[in-house]
Amino acid sequence: MSDTGKCVFCKIIAGVIPAAKVYEDGQTLAFLDIAPFEKGHVLVVPKRHAPMLTDLPEEDAQAAMRVTREIGARLLARLPCDGFNVLQNNGVCASQTVPHVHFHVIPRRNGQPFHWTPGQYASPEEVGAMQAKLRTDP
Ligand code: 5GP
Ligand code: ZN
């Protein structure tokens, strides 16, 4: 099987496994992280398979950054959210676990303890409610 065939994000892009999608266009997909650092944590994923940012053609990287900025704006506008992190890991040594380029967009609130710990949603309904808040037509 090819790298693309084994890649979990390529499978999400192909619709083979489900994800709570919040944005999609021809070059980029964004969906809720399954183990969010904070609820509303979104992954912005170029549709072209590339392990590291330096493997990705510049135009795909630019498209993903445009969507990353848009998702940041939605977090600020639609959630209780005062700021956000953009995180992008390259290589196992840098804590990359899925070798397909992705940008984490993580909402943060004033007064909340800062951490990088994965969490979870309480139920599929909570996931659906967050998806509804963040997708293109809320
Ligand atoms: P990395 O450590 O590679 O920067 O981040 C990979 C992220 O992908 C992790 O935050 C992890 O929770 C998320 N992730 C891994 N598998 C899945 C999946 O099947 N669905 C979703 N929605 N997120 C996933
Ligand atoms: Zn892939």
Side-chain angles (χ1 to χ4, degrees):
M1 199 182 269
S2 68
D3 276 358
T4 305
K6 286 185 286 193
C7 173
V8 64
F9 288 173
C10 283
K11 287 181 182 170
I12 289 172
I13 291 160
V16 175
I17 62 173
K21 297 177 187 177
V22 297
Y23 177 92
E24 182 164 17
D25 66 24
Q27 285 174 285
T28 312
L29 180 67
F31 51 87
L32 298 181
D33 196 296
I34 204 166
F37 293 175
E38 297 289 350
K39 290 170 183 176
H41 178 165
V42 172
L43 298 176
V44 176
V45 181
K47 289 188 172 179
R48 187 188 300 277
H49 179 88
M52 291 197 192
L53 187 57
T54 41
D55 300 314
L56 188 67
E58 188 174 330
E59 68 176 64
D60 297 281
Q62 287 179 351
M65 184 49 67
R66 188 188 67 74
V67 177
T68 297
R69 181 176 177 279
E70 165 66 20
I71 295 297
R74 289 186 195 177
L75 297 179
L76 290 171
R78 301 180 188 183
L79 298 183
C81 175
D82 302 302
F84 60 94
N85 296 105
V86 174
L87 172 69
Q88 200 276 311
N89 300 327
N90 297 277
V92 172
C93 61
S95 188
Q96 186 181 17
T97 59
V98 178
H100 179 136
V101 173
H102 51 283
F103 294 82
H104 299 255
V105 192
I106 305 154
R108 302 292 188 178
R109 292 193 71 180
N110 293 335
Q112 295 292 313
F114 187 83
H115 66 87
W116 294 111
T117 312
Q120 59 186 14
Y121 291 94
S123 64
E125 289 72 26
E126 191 181 28
V127 175
M130 182 60 74
Q131 180 187 18
K133 276 188 194 168
L134 295 181
R135 69 185 165 208
T136 307
D137 301 312

